[in-house]
Amino acid sequence: MSDMASLIEPIIPALRRHARGLVRDRSTADDLVQDCLELAIARWHQRRVDGNPRAWVFAIFHNLFRTRLRRMARRPLHVAIEDTDEAALAVDAPQDQQVHYREVLDALARLPEEHRSVLLLVTVEDLSYAETAKVLDVPIGTVMSRLSRARDSLAKEMSGEARPDAAHPQLRRVK
């Protein structure tokens, strides 16, 4: 049991960071991480002893996340405004760093899920291409192409090329 705890415990902060990057909601991310850890502990005997426990736990998380995504697509979550915490409705001060941070998160959220997953696993969680391919159950070439596309899309989003400026809409002449 202590062997399992010593291997899983260092993974938890990275798993939480990855979950928050994907879900962008602290409580939902924490719920996903907890469910993932419960599954990992319950299925600890099924892992490969010679394999990387980090990649194995991230694979469990990714499968759980995809299942939740499909479930939420069928049945969206509705929360009454009266039940919402007032602090969740507050707006942060518009300081430059906070604004840039929000822009990056928004641009990241606009990426397709498969691009966002690869980008977060490789750049934030520092998984290798091979480990990322195992986690997502895709070929390594797919990981590299998705990562390249994700970086290009994110760069375009951040430079303003990907979306037209709302203040200066492009008008066409129609005859």
Side-chain angles (χ1 to χ4, degrees):
M1 184 70 168
S2 67
D3 176 46
M4 175 180 51
S6 67
L7 291 173
I8 288 181
E9 193 172 337
I11 301 170
I12 295 172
L15 197 60
R16 290 182 77 203
R17 190 172 47 243
H18 181 64
R20 288 183 182 168
L22 285 175
V23 179
R24 295 186 61 199
D25 176 54
R26 176 172 270 175
S27 64
T28 304
D30 288 343
D31 288 345
L32 273 169
V33 170
Q34 182 174 343
D35 292 346
C36 171
L37 293 172
E38 287 175 5
L39 279 172
I41 290 169
R43 296 186 177 145
W44 186 251
H45 64 282
Q46 295 177 351
R47 73 173 174 83
R48 289 189 180 149
V49 177
D50 60 340
N52 181 355
R54 180 181 170 109
W56 182 71
V57 171
F58 270 94
I60 291 173
F61 174 82
H62 180 72
N63 291 334
L64 188 62
F65 172 70
R66 297 289 299 232
T67 302
R68 294 269 171 93
L69 243 144
R70 283 192 298 268
R71 207 177 288 155
M72 285 177 15
R74 281 185 256 134
R75 185 176 31 125
L77 178 65
H78 294 284
V79 178
I81 198 160
E82 299 84 26
D83 297 337
T84 306
D85 181 25
E86 198 171 313
L89 299 175
V91 178
D92 293 331
Q95 296 151 336
D96 287 342
Q97 187 176 14
Q98 186 69 23
V99 170
H100 181 69
Y101 175 72
R102 290 282 179 212
E103 287 174 352
V104 170
L105 287 179
D106 290 343
L108 190 61
R110 284 190 292 271
L111 290 176
E113 186 273 323
E114 57 269 352
H115 291 177
R116 188 171 60 242
S117 292
V118 170
L119 185 67
L120 290 173
L121 287 171
V122 171
T123 59
V124 177
E125 301 309 330
D126 202 28
L127 291 181
S128 69
Y129 291 173
E131 290 172 330
T132 301
K134 280 185 183 177
V135 167
L136 300 177
D137 195 28
V138 296
I140 196 166
T142 303
V143 168
M144 291 188 291
S145 66
R146 285 181 183 174
L147 182 61
S148 175
R149 288 186 187 119
R151 286 177 174 160
D152 289 345
S153 296
L154 195 58
K156 285 180 183 175
E157 283 278 338
M158 294 309 298
S159 69
E161 291 177 33
R163 52 196 159 117
D165 189 7
H168 300 91
Q170 298 294 325
L171 299 176
R172 291 186 309 146
R173 184 180 205 170
V174 180
K175 291 185 179 186

